[in-house]
Amino acid sequence: MSQPNGGTFDIVILGAGSGGYAAALRAAELNLSVALIDKAELGGTCLHRGCIPTKALLHAAEIADQTRESEQFGIKADLVGIDMAGVNSYKDGVVARLYKGLTGLLTHNKNITVVNGAGKLVSQDTVEVDGKRYTGRNVILATGSYSRSLPGLEVDGKRVLTSEHALVLDRVPSSAIVLGGGVIGVEFASVWKSFGADVTIIEALPRLVAAEDEDISKQVERAFRKRKINFKVGKPFEKVEHTENGVRVTIAGGETLESEVLLVAVGRGPTTANLGYEQQGVTLDRGFVIVNERLHTGVGNIYAVGDIVPGLQLAHRGFQQGIFVAEEIAGLNPAVIDEAGIPRVTYSDPEVASVGITEAKAKEQYGADKVSTYNYNLGGNGKSQILKTAGFIKLVRVNDGPVVGLHMVGARVGELVGEAQLIFNWEAFPEEVAQLVHAHPTQNEALGEAFLALAGKPLHAHS
């Protein structure tokens, strides 16, 4: 169904990104009626301007690197060049196929009414769209996020870009400065370097991917130096000026750098302005919607999910929160989501994957004398040798207790985070994981070997 003349529903959802559409689908399964409202395409940022298209670019970048380096595997191939029109066609094709599938799933569901238009919360149970009112016994706010900038930094979409602009660029820039060394920044730096650009990352914090364990950050920095990706950490941005051929960026200390483009990757802000939230009593903090552990706003039957809720801005977090709220509304009393148990992946080369807390956080939380760590070098793993990747798996354990953090860096380690999050969320002891059989030769085996070592019986490693 689509474009009705308003109506009353069990749930009205404002925003059809990962959190919103997951809530709609789960609620529909539970036989609740849903109005799903969004001014843009179903699937939101993740599908159209985030997770999916960026990962398609990263895969194309991996193909470019493999072609360039193929001779070390005994394969002779020449990289003639990067056809950005072809790369974008591949990327857009992936998005289009997923969008078509999601649209069919939502629009053909008898319990879901899809409404295309800009919605605004006009009372504690009503969203207005183009003069039509959709009333919900429950309301879920899921309006997502936007690319932040910095004061005095004007994004023009030509020389000064956000990730949205970078995703549709019709060329490989000859040089790029990336402002921000977090997930988005290092992923685009990785892509552009693989495509042949000269790249420099500027980060105000003391290290790249600063939210990750410090040992992981150091390995990423080592790998980036080897790849000749330049970076300057602990260097806040001061200003940008246009030059004849691009931009000139000034950083702390008066140092200047020039490039063809500047990518602003300083994080994402919550999309909550001018949507009527505060007028209805919803509490905002720096634009984020404040909720309790059950994602309720404390106002009427209004809930919030996804990037507008303080915490990790990850599609799978929003997805899980959407499912949680649908089940909460249906009276199923779902278990509260443990934020530390949400897996995190950065898809650069090398990849970073983690779940749980860092060594520093564990020592702060439990006391330095209560925490032990173990690093398993991927050099001892057969499949990692085949892939010619360097990296390690780091385990953080509370002494004589469960593992509270699993941190990985290396090619394709994002594919290992599934088992890692099961280990963390089930509060498994090393001795329990050591009993599990891991297939050989796989990188997954490295996780098994790390736990064998932590359990006191290392095979290919020293305890």
Side-chain angles (χ1 to χ4, degrees):
M1 298 168 65
S2 63
Q3 302 301 345
N5 295 312
T8 300
F9 301 82
D10 291 318
I11 309 176
V12 171
I13 303 172
L14 185 52
S18 302
Y21 86 70
L25 288 170
R26 183 63 182 126
E29 282 179 352
L30 296 168
N31 211 29
L32 299 173
S33 60
V34 177
L36 181 63
I37 301 166
D38 203 303
K39 65 181 179 180
E41 318 96 325
L42 298 172
T45 295
C46 173
L47 176 54
H48 299 280
R49 299 169 295 282
C51 326
I52 299 300
T54 55
K55 277 47 177 185
L57 285 185
L58 282 153
H59 183 61
E62 183 184 8
I63 300 296
D65 285 332
Q66 287 178 343
T67 305
R68 197 180 282 117
E69 299 160 5
S70 63
E71 200 160 336
Q72 64 178 309
F73 301 100
I75 309 295
K76 294 191 175 179
D78 291 321
L79 182 64
V80 178
I82 306 297
D83 170 18
M84 275 313 295
V87 170
N88 284 331
S89 175
Y90 151 69
K91 164 181 64 71
D92 295 343
V94 172
V95 172
R97 287 190 295 277
L98 290 170
Y99 177 53
K100 182 180 179 181
L102 178 63
T103 301
L105 201 59
L106 291 165
T107 56
H108 294 140
N109 192 306
K110 63 181 176 62
N111 288 329
I112 300 174
T113 297
V114 174
V115 182
N116 183 242
K120 184 173 182 177
L121 192 66
V122 293
S123 76
Q124 291 186 6
D125 64 358
T126 303
V127 174
E128 185 173 281
V129 185
D130 299 328
K132 298 172 186 172
R133 294 196 164 204
Y134 300 85
T135 299
R137 296 177 185 87
N138 302 273
V139 174
I140 301 176
L141 310 177
T143 41
S145 60
Y146 65 92
S147 292
R148 283 191 189 277
S149 186
L150 294 175
L153 180 52
E154 186 180 338
V155 174
D156 61 13
K158 295 176 181 176
R159 297 186 188 191
V160 182
L161 317 172
T162 65
S163 58
E164 284 91 342
H165 301 121
L167 276 170
V168 296
L169 213 56
D170 61 359
R171 69 191 189 284
V172 178
S174 59
S175 57
I177 294 170
V178 176
L179 182 57
V183 174
I184 295 170
V186 300
E187 287 187 352
F188 271 100
S190 194
V191 166
W192 279 338
K193 183 61 181 180
S194 297
F195 285 171
D198 182 22
V199 182
T200 301
I201 302 170
I202 298 168
E203 172 55 62
L205 294 173
R207 52 194 174 90
L208 298 182
V209 287
E212 298 293 340
D213 190 272
E214 189 170 350
D215 287 347
I216 298 292
S217 289
K218 287 177 181 174
Q219 179 66 22
V220 170
E221 290 177 356
R222 278 193 292 272
F224 273 24
R225 284 190 197 97
K226 190 174 180 182
R227 293 186 61 197
K228 295 184 169 53
I229 296 175
N230 305 306
F231 56 89
K232 294 178 180 291
V233 294
K235 296 284 186 179
F237 165 87
E238 290 190 349
K239 66 177 179 176
V240 60
E241 305 160 278
H242 284 206
T243 63
E244 187 179 341
N245 300 312
V247 293
R248 180 184 301 112
V249 175
T250 305
I251 58 178
E255 185 179 356
T256 61
L257 303 95
E258 295 194 12
S259 69
E260 182 183 335
V261 297
L262 169 66
L263 172 65
V264 182
V266 293
R268 298 186 65 82
T271 304
T272 55
N274 306 314
L275 294 175
Y277 294 178
E278 285 181 293
Q279 289 87 334
Q280 301 310 321
V282 174
T283 302
L284 301 185
D285 180 11
R286 293 169 296 115
F288 289 97
V289 177
I290 302 306
V291 294
N292 64 15
E293 66 174 6
R294 304 200 75 79
L295 303 175
H296 191 271
T297 62
V299 176
N301 288 326
I302 303 176
Y303 297 83
V305 301
D307 285 1
I308 61 172
V309 175
L312 297 167
Q313 291 180 310
L314 299 170
H316 47 281
R317 172 181 180 253
F319 192 87
Q320 193 64 28
Q321 288 180 335
I323 293 171
F324 173 92
V325 170
E327 293 182 350
E328 178 80 351
I329 289 168
L332 300 184
N333 193 29
V336 171
I337 298 166
D338 178 9
E339 292 276 317
I342 297 170
R344 310 173 292 276
V345 185
T346 303
Y347 296 86
S348 53
D349 177 18
E351 282 188 1
V352 173
S354 58
V355 65
I357 59 178
T358 64
E359 177 183 354
K361 183 72 74 176
K363 286 179 174 175
E364 180 187 311
Q365 199 167 318
Y366 298 102
D369 59 331
K370 299 281 198 312
V371 173
S372 57
T373 64
Y374 179 77
N375 285 20
Y376 177 83
N377 194 311
L378 291 181
N381 174 257
K383 187 63 180 285
S384 297
Q385 284 290 329
I386 291 166
L387 294 173
K388 287 187 176 287
T389 185
F392 60 87
I393 292 172
K394 177 176 180 175
L395 307 178
V396 180
R397 181 189 193 183
V398 177
N399 289 349
D400 300 321
V403 168
V404 296
L406 298 92
H407 309 276
M408 302 175 278
V409 58
R412 305 184 188 180
V413 294
E415 300 300 327
L416 306 184
V417 83
E419 183 182 1
Q421 66 103 11
L422 287 176
I423 290 167
F424 175 84
N425 283 292
W426 284 341
E427 299 181 345
F429 282 58
E431 295 76 15
E432 295 169 324
V433 182
Q435 295 175 47
L436 303 176
V437 179
H438 294 77
H440 173 76
T442 62
Q443 281 191 291
N444 181 238
E445 191 180 12
L447 202 52
E449 294 247 6
F451 275 92
L452 276 169
L454 199 57
K457 42 186 177 183
L459 291 185
H460 299 93
H462 300 291
S463 58

